[in-house]
Coordinates of all heavy atoms in Angstrom, one line a residue:
M1 N 162.4 43.0 84.9 CA 161.8 42.9 86.3 C 161.2 44.2 86.6 O 161.7 45.3 86.4 CB 163.0 42.6 87.2 CG 162.5 42.4 88.6 SD 163.9 41.6 89.5 CE 163.6 42.3 91.1
S2 N 160.0 44.2 87.1 CA 159.2 45.4 87.4 C 159.5 45.8 88.9 O 159.8 45.0 89.7 CB 157.7 45.2 87.3 OG 157.3 44.2 88.2
E3 N 159.4 47.1 89.1 CA 159.6 47.7 90.4 C 158.3 47.8 91.1 O 157.3 47.9 90.5 CB 160.3 49.1 90.3 CG 161.7 49.1 89.7 CD 162.3 50.5 89.8 OE1 162.1 51.2 90.8 OE2 162.9 50.8 88.8
L4 N 158.4 47.7 92.5 CA 157.2 47.9 93.3 C 157.2 49.2 94.1 O 158.3 49.7 94.4 CB 157.1 46.7 94.3 CG 157.0 45.3 93.6 CD1 157.0 44.2 94.7 CD2 155.8 45.1 92.7
E5 N 156.1 49.7 94.3 CA 156.0 50.9 95.1 C 154.8 50.8 96.1 O 153.9 50.0 95.8 CB 155.8 52.2 94.3 CG 154.5 52.3 93.5 CD 154.4 53.5 92.7 OE1 155.2 54.5 92.9 OE2 153.6 53.6 91.8
T6 N 154.8 51.5 97.2 CA 153.8 51.4 98.2 C 152.8 52.6 98.0 O 153.3 53.8 97.9 CB 154.3 51.5 99.6 OG1 155.2 50.4 99.8 CG2 153.3 51.4 100.6
K7 N 151.6 52.3 97.8 CA 150.5 53.4 97.7 C 149.8 53.4 99.0 O 149.5 52.4 99.6 CB 149.5 53.0 96.6 CG 150.1 53.0 95.2 CD 150.1 54.4 94.6 CE 150.5 54.3 93.2 NZ 150.4 55.6 92.5
E8 N 149.5 54.6 99.4 CA 148.7 54.8 100.6 C 147.3 55.4 100.3 O 147.1 56.2 99.4 CB 149.3 55.9 101.6 CG 150.6 55.4 102.2 CD 151.2 56.4 103.2 OE1 150.7 57.5 103.2 OE2 152.1 56.0 103.9
E9 N 146.3 54.8 101.0 CA 144.9 55.3 100.8 C 144.5 55.7 102.2 O 144.5 55.0 103.2 CB 144.0 54.1 100.3 CG 142.6 54.6 100.2 CD 141.7 53.4 99.8 OE1 142.2 52.4 99.4 OE2 140.5 53.6 99.9
L10 N 144.0 57.0 102.3 CA 143.5 57.5 103.5 C 142.0 57.4 103.6 O 141.3 57.7 102.7 CB 143.9 59.0 103.6 CG 145.4 59.4 103.6 CD1 145.6 60.9 103.7 CD2 146.1 58.7 104.7
V11 N 141.6 56.9 104.7 CA 140.1 56.7 104.9 C 139.8 57.5 106.2 O 140.3 57.3 107.3 CB 139.7 55.2 105.1 CG1 138.3 55.1 105.4 CG2 140.1 54.5 103.9
L12 N 138.8 58.4 106.1 CA 138.4 59.2 107.2 C 137.7 58.4 108.3 O 136.8 57.6 107.9 CB 137.4 60.3 106.7 CG 136.9 61.3 107.8 CD1 138.0 62.1 108.4 CD2 135.8 62.2 107.2
I13 N 138.1 58.5 109.5 CA 137.5 57.7 110.6 C 136.9 58.5 111.7 O 136.1 58.1 112.4 CB 138.5 56.7 111.2 CG1 139.7 57.3 111.8 CG2 138.9 55.7 110.1 CD1 140.5 56.4 112.7
A14 N 137.4 59.8 111.8 CA 136.8 60.6 112.9 C 136.9 62.1 112.6 O 137.8 62.5 111.8 CB 137.6 60.4 114.2
N15 N 136.1 62.9 113.2 CA 136.1 64.3 113.1 C 136.2 65.0 114.4 O 135.6 64.4 115.4 CB 134.8 64.8 112.4 CG 134.7 64.4 111.0 OD1 135.5 64.7 110.2 ND2 133.6 63.7 110.6
R16 N 136.9 66.1 114.5 CA 137.0 66.8 115.8 C 135.7 67.6 116.0 O 135.1 68.1 115.1 CB 138.1 67.8 115.8 CG 138.4 68.4 117.1 CD 139.5 69.4 117.1 NE 139.2 70.6 116.4 CZ 138.5 71.6 116.9 NH1 138.0 71.5 118.1 NH2 138.2 72.7 116.2
K17 N 135.2 67.6 117.3 CA 134.0 68.3 117.6 C 134.4 69.4 118.6 O 134.9 69.1 119.6 CB 133.0 67.3 118.3 CG 131.7 67.9 118.6 CD 130.8 66.8 119.2 CE 129.5 67.2 119.7 NZ 129.0 68.4 119.8
A18 N 134.0 70.6 118.2 CA 134.3 71.7 119.1 C 133.4 71.7 120.2 O 132.3 71.2 120.1 CB 134.1 73.0 118.3
P19 N 133.7 72.3 121.3 CA 135.0 72.9 121.7 C 136.1 71.9 122.1 O 135.7 70.9 122.6 CB 134.6 73.9 122.8 CG 133.6 73.2 123.5 CD 132.8 72.4 122.5
G20 N 137.3 72.3 122.0 CA 138.4 71.5 122.5 C 138.8 70.3 121.7 O 138.5 70.3 120.5
D21 N 139.3 69.3 122.3 CA 139.8 68.1 121.7 C 138.9 67.0 121.8 O 139.2 65.9 122.3 CB 141.2 67.8 122.4 CG 141.9 66.7 121.7 OD1 141.8 66.6 120.4 OD2 142.6 65.9 122.3
Q22 N 137.6 67.2 121.4 CA 136.6 66.1 121.4 C 136.6 65.5 120.0 O 136.7 66.2 119.0 CB 135.3 66.6 121.8 CG 135.3 67.2 123.2 CD 133.9 67.7 123.5 OE1 133.0 66.9 123.8 NE2 133.7 69.0 123.4
W23 N 136.3 64.2 119.9 CA 136.3 63.5 118.6 C 135.1 62.6 118.5 O 134.7 62.0 119.5 CB 137.6 62.7 118.5 CG 138.8 63.5 118.4 CD1 139.5 64.1 119.4 CD2 139.4 64.0 117.2 NE1 140.5 64.9 118.9 CE2 140.5 64.9 117.5 CE3 139.1 63.9 115.8 CZ2 141.3 65.5 116.6 CZ3 139.9 64.5 114.9 CH2 141.0 65.3 115.3
V24 N 134.6 62.5 117.3 CA 133.5 61.6 117.0 C 133.9 60.7 115.9 O 134.3 61.1 114.8 CB 132.2 62.4 116.5 CG1 131.1 61.5 116.2 CG2 131.8 63.4 117.6
L25 N 133.8 59.4 116.2 CA 134.2 58.3 115.2 C 133.0 58.2 114.3 O 131.8 58.2 114.7 CB 134.4 57.0 115.9 CG 135.7 56.9 116.8 CD1 135.8 55.6 117.5 CD2 136.9 57.2 116.0
L26 N 133.3 58.0 113.0 CA 132.2 57.8 112.0 C 131.5 56.5 112.2 O 130.3 56.3 111.8 CB 132.8 57.9 110.6 CG 133.4 59.2 110.2 CD1 133.9 59.1 108.8 CD2 132.5 60.3 110.4
I27 N 132.2 55.5 112.8 CA 131.5 54.2 113.1 C 130.6 54.2 114.3 O 129.8 53.3 114.5 CB 132.5 53.0 113.2 CG1 133.5 53.3 114.3 CG2 133.2 52.8 111.9 CD1 134.5 52.2 114.6
D28 N 130.7 55.3 115.1 CA 129.9 55.4 116.3 C 129.6 56.9 116.5 O 130.1 57.5 117.4 CB 130.6 54.8 117.5 CG 129.7 54.8 118.7 OD1 128.5 55.0 118.6 OD2 130.3 54.6 119.8
P29 N 128.7 57.5 115.6 CA 128.5 59.0 115.7 C 127.8 59.5 116.9 O 127.7 60.7 117.1 CB 127.8 59.2 114.4 CG 127.1 58.0 114.0 CD 128.0 56.9 114.5
N30 N 127.2 58.6 117.7 CA 126.5 59.0 118.9 C 127.4 59.2 120.1 O 126.9 59.6 121.2 CB 125.4 58.0 119.2 CG 124.3 58.0 118.1 OD1 124.0 59.0 117.5 ND2 123.8 56.8 117.8
H31 N 128.6 58.7 120.0 CA 129.5 58.8 121.2 C 130.6 59.9 120.9 O 131.3 59.8 119.9 CB 130.2 57.4 121.4 CG 131.0 57.4 122.6 ND1 132.3 57.6 122.6 CD2 130.6 57.2 123.9 CE1 132.8 57.5 123.9 NE2 131.8 57.2 124.7
V32 N 130.8 60.8 121.8 CA 131.8 61.8 121.7 C 133.0 61.4 122.7 O 132.7 61.3 123.9 CB 131.3 63.2 122.1 CG1 132.4 64.3 122.0 CG2 130.1 63.6 121.1
Y33 N 134.2 61.3 122.1 CA 135.3 60.9 122.9 C 136.0 62.2 123.4 O 136.2 63.2 122.6 CB 136.3 60.1 122.1 CG 135.8 58.7 121.7 CD1 135.0 58.5 120.6 CD2 136.0 57.7 122.6 CE1 134.5 57.3 120.3 CE2 135.4 56.4 122.3 CZ 134.7 56.2 121.2 OH 134.2 55.0 120.9
P34 N 136.4 62.3 124.6 CA 136.9 63.6 125.2 C 138.4 63.9 124.8 O 138.9 65.0 125.1 CB 136.9 63.3 126.7 CG 136.9 61.9 126.9 CD 136.2 61.3 125.7
S35 N 139.1 63.0 124.1 CA 140.4 63.2 123.7 C 140.8 62.4 122.4 O 140.1 61.4 122.1 CB 141.4 62.9 124.8 OG 141.5 61.5 125.0
L36 N 141.8 62.8 121.8 CA 142.3 62.0 120.6 C 142.7 60.6 121.0 O 142.3 59.6 120.3 CB 143.4 62.7 119.9 CG 144.0 62.1 118.7 CD1 143.0 61.9 117.6 CD2 145.2 62.9 118.2
T37 N 143.4 60.4 122.1 CA 143.9 59.1 122.4 C 142.7 58.2 122.8 O 142.7 57.0 122.4 CB 144.8 59.1 123.6 OG1 144.3 59.9 124.7 CG2 146.2 59.8 123.2
E38 N 141.7 58.7 123.4 CA 140.5 57.9 123.7 C 139.7 57.6 122.4 O 139.1 56.5 122.3 CB 139.6 58.6 124.7 CG 140.2 58.6 126.1 CD 139.3 59.1 127.2 OE1 138.1 58.8 127.1 OE2 139.8 59.7 128.1
A39 N 139.7 58.5 121.4 CA 139.1 58.2 120.1 C 139.9 57.1 119.4 O 139.2 56.2 118.8 CB 139.0 59.4 119.3
L40 N 141.2 57.1 119.5 CA 142.0 56.1 118.9 C 141.7 54.7 119.6 O 141.6 53.7 118.9 CB 143.5 56.4 118.9 CG 143.9 57.5 118.0 CD1 145.3 58.0 118.4 CD2 143.8 57.1 116.6
E41 N 141.6 54.7 120.9 CA 141.3 53.5 121.6 C 139.9 53.0 121.3 O 139.7 51.8 121.1 CB 141.5 53.7 123.1 CG 141.1 52.5 124.0 CD 142.0 51.3 123.8 OE1 143.2 51.5 123.3 OE2 141.6 50.2 124.1
G42 N 139.0 53.9 121.1 CA 137.6 53.5 120.8 C 137.6 52.9 119.4 O 136.9 51.9 119.1
Y43 N 138.4 53.5 118.4 CA 138.4 52.9 117.1 C 139.0 51.5 117.1 O 138.5 50.6 116.5 CB 139.3 53.8 116.2 CG 139.4 53.3 114.8 CD1 138.3 53.4 113.9 CD2 140.6 52.6 114.3 CE1 138.4 52.9 112.6 CE2 140.7 52.2 113.0 CZ 139.6 52.3 112.2 OH 139.7 51.8 110.9
Y44 N 140.1 51.3 117.9 CA 140.7 50.0 118.1 C 139.7 49.0 118.7 O 139.6 47.9 118.2 CB 142.0 50.1 118.9 CG 142.5 48.7 119.2 CD1 143.2 48.0 118.2 CD2 142.3 48.1 120.4 CE1 143.7 46.7 118.5 CE2 142.8 46.8 120.7 CZ 143.5 46.1 119.7 OH 143.9 44.9 119.9
Q45 N 139.0 49.4 119.7 CA 138.0 48.5 120.3 C 136.9 48.1 119.4 O 136.4 47.0 119.4 CB 137.4 49.1 121.6 CG 138.4 49.3 122.7 CD 139.0 48.0 123.2 OE1 138.4 47.0 123.2 NE2 140.3 48.1 123.6
E46 N 136.5 49.0 118.5 CA 135.5 48.7 117.5 C 135.9 47.8 116.4 O 135.2 47.0 115.9 CB 134.9 50.0 117.0 CG 134.1 50.8 117.9 CD 132.7 50.2 118.3 OE1 132.1 49.5 117.4 OE2 132.3 50.3 119.4
T47 N 137.2 48.0 115.9 CA 137.7 47.4 114.7 C 138.7 46.3 114.9 O 138.9 45.4 114.1 CB 138.3 48.4 113.7 OG1 139.4 49.0 114.4 CG2 137.3 49.5 113.3
Q48 N 139.4 46.3 116.1 CA 140.5 45.4 116.4 C 141.6 45.4 115.3 O 142.2 44.4 115.1 CB 139.9 44.0 116.6 CG 138.9 43.8 117.7 CD 139.6 44.1 119.1 OE1 140.6 43.5 119.4 NE2 139.0 44.9 119.9
T49 N 141.8 46.5 114.7 CA 142.9 46.7 113.7 C 144.0 47.5 114.3 O 143.8 48.3 115.2 CB 142.4 47.3 112.4 OG1 141.9 48.6 112.7 CG2 141.3 46.5 111.8
T50 N 145.2 47.3 113.8 CA 146.4 48.0 114.2 C 146.9 48.8 113.1 O 148.1 48.8 112.7 CB 147.4 47.1 114.8 OG1 147.8 46.1 113.8 CG2 147.0 46.4 116.0
D51 N 146.0 49.6 112.5 CA 146.4 50.5 111.3 C 147.2 51.6 111.8 O 147.3 52.0 113.0 CB 145.1 51.0 110.7 CG 144.2 49.9 110.1 OD1 144.8 48.9 109.7 OD2 143.0 50.1 110.1
D52 N 147.9 52.3 110.8 CA 148.5 53.6 111.1 C 147.5 54.7 110.9 O 146.5 54.5 110.2 CB 149.7 53.7 110.1 CG 150.8 52.8 110.4 OD1 151.0 52.4 111.6 OD2 151.5 52.3 109.4
F53 N 147.8 55.8 111.5 CA 146.9 56.9 111.4 C 147.5 58.2 110.9 O 148.7 58.4 111.1 CB 146.3 57.2 112.8 CG 145.5 56.0 113.4 CD1 146.1 55.2 114.2 CD2 144.2 55.8 113.0 CE1 145.5 54.1 114.7 CE2 143.5 54.7 113.5 CZ 144.1 53.8 114.4
R54 N 146.8 59.1 110.4 CA 147.2 60.4 109.9 C 146.2 61.4 110.5 O 145.0 61.3 110.3 CB 147.3 60.5 108.4 CG 147.8 61.9 108.0 CD 148.5 61.9 106.7 NE 149.6 61.0 106.6 CZ 150.0 60.4 105.6 NH1 149.3 60.5 104.4 NH2 151.0 59.6 105.6
L55 N 146.8 62.4 111.2 CA 146.0 63.5 111.7 C 146.1 64.7 110.9 O 147.2 65.1 110.5 CB 146.4 63.8 113.2 CG 145.8 64.9 113.9 CD1 144.3 64.6 114.1 CD2 146.4 65.1 115.2
A56 N 145.0 65.3 110.5 CA 145.0 66.6 109.8 C 144.4 67.6 110.8 O 143.2 67.9 110.8 CB 144.2 66.5 108.5
P57 N 145.3 68.2 111.6 CA 144.7 69.1 112.7 C 144.0 70.3 112.2 O 143.0 70.7 112.8 CB 146.0 69.4 113.5 CG 147.2 69.1 112.7 CD 146.7 68.1 111.7
S58 N 144.5 70.9 111.1 CA 143.8 72.1 110.7 C 142.4 71.9 110.1 O 141.6 72.7 110.1 CB 144.7 72.9 109.6 OG 144.9 72.0 108.5
E59 N 142.2 70.6 109.7 CA 140.9 70.2 109.2 C 140.0 69.6 110.2 O 138.9 69.4 110.0 CB 141.1 69.2 108.0 CG 141.9 69.7 106.8 CD 142.2 68.6 105.8 OE1 141.6 67.6 105.9 OE2 143.0 68.9 104.9
G60 N 140.7 69.2 111.3 CA 139.9 68.5 112.4 C 139.5 67.1 111.9 O 138.4 66.6 112.2
K61 N 140.4 66.4 111.2 CA 140.1 65.1 110.6 C 141.2 64.1 111.1 O 142.3 64.4 111.3 CB 140.1 65.1 109.1 CG 139.3 66.2 108.5 CD 137.8 65.7 108.4 CE 137.0 66.8 107.7 NZ 135.6 66.7 107.9
L62 N 140.7 62.8 111.3 CA 141.6 61.7 111.6 C 141.4 60.6 110.6 O 140.2 60.3 110.3 CB 141.3 61.2 113.0 CG 142.1 60.0 113.5 CD1 143.6 60.3 113.6 CD2 141.6 59.5 114.8
Y63 N 142.5 60.2 110.0 CA 142.4 59.2 108.9 C 143.1 57.9 109.4 O 144.1 58.0 110.1 CB 143.1 59.7 107.7 CG 142.4 60.9 107.1 CD1 142.9 62.2 107.4 CD2 141.4 60.8 106.2 CE1 142.3 63.3 106.9 CE2 140.8 62.0 105.6 CZ 141.3 63.2 106.0 OH 140.7 64.4 105.5
T64 N 142.7 56.8 108.9 CA 143.5 55.6 108.9 C 144.2 55.4 107.6 O 143.6 55.8 106.6 CB 142.6 54.3 109.3 OG1 143.5 53.2 109.5 CG2 141.6 54.0 108.3
I65 N 145.3 54.8 107.6 CA 146.1 54.6 106.4 C 146.1 53.1 106.0 O 146.6 52.3 106.8 CB 147.6 55.1 106.6 CG1 147.6 56.5 107.1 CG2 148.4 54.9 105.3 CD1 149.0 57.0 107.5
F66 N 145.7 52.9 104.8 CA 145.8 51.5 104.3 C 146.9 51.6 103.2 O 146.9 52.4 102.3 CB 144.5 51.1 103.6 CG 143.4 50.9 104.6 CD1 142.3 51.8 104.7 CD2 143.3 49.8 105.4 CE1 141.3 51.6 105.6 CE2 142.3 49.6 106.3 CZ 141.3 50.5 106.4
S67 N 147.9 50.7 103.4 CA 149.0 50.7 102.4 C 148.9 49.4 101.6 O 148.5 48.3 102.1 CB 150.3 50.6 103.2 OG 150.5 51.8 103.9
K68 N 149.2 49.5 100.3 CA 149.3 48.4 99.5 C 150.5 48.5 98.5 O 150.8 49.6 98.1 CB 148.0 48.1 98.7 CG 147.6 49.3 97.8 CD 146.2 48.9 97.2 CE 145.7 50.2 96.5 NZ 144.4 50.0 95.9
T69 N 151.1 47.4 98.2 CA 152.2 47.4 97.3 C 151.7 47.1 95.9 O 151.0 46.1 95.7 CB 153.2 46.3 97.7 OG1 153.6 46.6 99.0 CG2 154.4 46.3 96.8
V70 N 152.0 48.0 95.0 CA 151.6 47.8 93.6 C 152.8 47.9 92.6 O 153.9 48.4 93.0 CB 150.6 48.9 93.2 CG1 149.3 48.7 93.9 CG2 151.1 50.3 93.3
E71 N 152.6 47.4 91.5 CA 153.7 47.5 90.5 C 153.9 48.9 90.0 O 152.9 49.6 89.7 CB 153.4 46.6 89.3 CG 154.5 46.4 88.3 CD 154.2 45.3 87.3 OE1 153.7 44.3 87.6 OE2 154.4 45.7 86.1
K72 N 155.1 49.4 90.0 CA 155.3 50.8 89.6 C 155.1 50.9 88.1 O 155.6 50.1 87.3 CB 156.8 51.2 90.0 CG 157.1 52.6 89.9 CD 158.5 52.9 90.4 CE 158.7 54.4 90.5 NZ 160.0 54.6 91.1
A73 N 154.4 52.0 87.7 CA 154.1 52.2 86.3 C 155.4 52.7 85.6 O 156.2 53.5 86.2 CB 153.1 53.3 86.1
P74 N 155.7 52.2 84.4 CA 156.9 52.6 83.7 C 156.8 54.1 83.3 O 155.7 54.6 83.1 CB 157.0 51.7 82.5 CG 155.6 51.3 82.3 CD 154.9 51.2 83.6
P75 N 157.9 54.8 83.3 CA 157.9 56.2 82.9 C 157.4 56.3 81.5 O 157.7 55.4 80.6 CB 159.3 56.7 83.1 CG 160.1 55.4 83.0 CD 159.3 54.3 83.5
P76 N 156.7 57.4 81.1 CA 156.3 57.6 79.7 C 157.6 57.7 78.8 O 158.6 58.2 79.3 CB 155.5 58.8 79.7 CG 155.9 59.6 81.0 CD 156.4 58.5 81.9
P77 N 157.5 57.3 77.6 CA 158.6 57.4 76.7 C 158.9 58.9 76.4 O 157.9 59.7 76.4 CB 158.2 56.7 75.4 CG 156.7 56.7 75.5 CD 156.3 56.7 76.9
P78 N 160.1 59.3 76.2 CA 160.4 60.7 75.9 C 159.8 61.1 74.6 O 159.7 60.3 73.7 CB 161.9 60.8 75.9 CG 162.4 59.4 75.6 CD 161.3 58.5 76.2
P79 N 159.5 62.4 74.4 CA 158.9 62.8 73.2 C 160.0 62.8 72.1 O 161.2 62.9 72.4 CB 158.5 64.3 73.4 CG 159.3 64.7 74.6 CD 159.6 63.5 75.4
P80 N 159.6 62.6 70.8 CA 160.6 62.5 69.8 C 161.3 63.9 69.7 O 160.7 64.9 70.0 CB 159.8 62.2 68.5 CG 158.4 62.5 68.8 CD 158.3 62.4 70.3
P81 N 162.6 63.9 69.2 CA 163.3 65.2 69.1 C 162.7 66.0 68.0 O 162.2 65.5 67.0 CB 164.7 64.8 68.7 CG 164.7 63.3 68.3 CD 163.4 62.7 68.9
K82 N 162.7 67.3 68.3 CA 162.1 68.2 67.3 C 163.1 68.4 66.2 O 164.3 68.4 66.4 CB 161.8 69.6 67.9 CG 160.7 69.6 68.9 CD 160.4 70.9 69.5 CE 159.3 70.9 70.4 NZ 158.9 72.2 70.9
K83 N 162.5 68.6 65.0 CA 163.4 68.8 63.8 C 163.2 70.2 63.3 O 162.0 70.6 63.1 CB 163.0 67.8 62.7 CG 163.3 66.3 63.1 CD 162.8 65.4 62.1 CE 163.0 63.9 62.5 NZ 162.6 63.0 61.5
F84 N 164.2 70.9 63.1 CA 164.1 72.3 62.6 C 165.0 72.4 61.3 O 166.1 71.9 61.3 CB 164.6 73.3 63.7 CG 163.8 73.2 64.9 CD1 164.3 72.5 66.0 CD2 162.6 73.9 65.0 CE1 163.5 72.5 67.2 CE2 161.9 73.9 66.1 CZ 162.3 73.2 67.2
N85 N 164.4 73.1 60.4 CA 165.1 73.4 59.2 C 164.5 74.7 58.6 O 163.3 74.7 58.3 CB 165.0 72.3 58.2 CG 165.9 72.5 56.9 OD1 165.9 73.6 56.4 ND2 166.5 71.4 56.5
M86 N 165.3 75.7 58.5 CA 164.7 77.0 58.0 C 164.2 77.0 56.6 O 163.4 77.8 56.2 CB 165.7 78.1 58.2 CG 167.0 78.0 57.4 SD 168.2 79.2 57.9 CE 168.0 80.4 56.6
Y87 N 164.5 75.9 55.8 CA 164.0 75.8 54.5 C 162.8 74.9 54.4 O 162.2 74.7 53.3 CB 165.1 75.4 53.5 CG 166.2 76.4 53.5 CD1 167.4 76.0 54.1 CD2 166.1 77.6 53.0 CE1 168.5 76.9 54.1 CE2 167.2 78.5 53.0 CZ 168.4 78.1 53.6 OH 169.4 79.0 53.6
G88 N 162.4 74.3 55.5 CA 161.2 73.3 55.4 C 161.6 72.0 55.0 O 160.7 71.1 54.8
D89 N 162.9 71.7 54.8 CA 163.4 70.3 54.5 C 163.7 69.6 55.8 O 164.3 70.1 56.7 CB 164.6 70.4 53.6 CG 164.4 71.1 52.3 OD1 163.3 71.1 51.8 OD2 165.4 71.8 51.9
Y90 N 163.2 68.4 55.9 CA 163.5 67.6 57.1 C 164.3 66.4 56.7 O 164.1 65.5 56.1 CB 162.2 67.1 57.7 CG 161.4 68.3 58.2 CD1 160.3 68.8 57.5 CD2 161.7 69.0 59.4 CE1 159.6 69.9 58.0 CE2 161.0 70.0 59.9 CZ 159.9 70.5 59.1 OH 159.2 71.6 59.6

């Protein structure tokens, strides 16, 4: 039986615009939202999705998170044991 794991894919949806807490959505680059919450609401109004979000404040980036369940890859086999013999006989 194989194990399942959740993989997350981050997709950039908005960039912070200086000065302050202004945000520009990539789907509507002509509109500047005056706050993060208004940018999130604007994204929802445009896409009608209820995705999860990840904020990277030091980068000024806002991402949406797409999660998918995939089969977990089996661990690689361990390397064969090393053989040592001071006379060169194995």
Side-chain angles (χ1 to χ4, degrees):
M1 186 166 149
S2 63
E3 292 185 44
L4 300 177
E5 67 180 341
T6 302
K7 294 272 188 176
E8 290 184 348
E9 179 184 348
L10 300 179
V11 177
L12 180 66
I13 62 167
N15 292 304
R16 190 180 70 80
K17 181 178 180 353
D21 187 35
Q22 300 180 74
W23 292 86
V24 177
L25 294 176
L26 297 182
I27 57 176
D28 186 11
N30 296 323
H31 187 264
V32 178
Y33 293 89
S35 70
L36 178 59
T37 53
E38 289 190 33
L40 290 169
E41 177 64 21
Y43 180 77
Y44 172 76
Q45 293 299 326
E46 291 287 329
T47 63
Q48 297 296 308
T49 60
T50 56
D51 299 326
D52 292 326
F53 300 96
R54 179 156 302 146
L55 177 64
S58 61
E59 300 172 12
K61 308 277 184 200
L62 178 63
Y63 300 91
T64 186
I65 304 170
F66 292 105
S67 298
K68 59 183 172 183
T69 303
V70 295
E71 191 172 311
K72 192 174 187 179
K82 292 184 178 181
K83 298 178 182 178
F84 297 100
N85 185 318
M86 62 190 256
Y87 301 108
D89 301 327
Y90 296 101

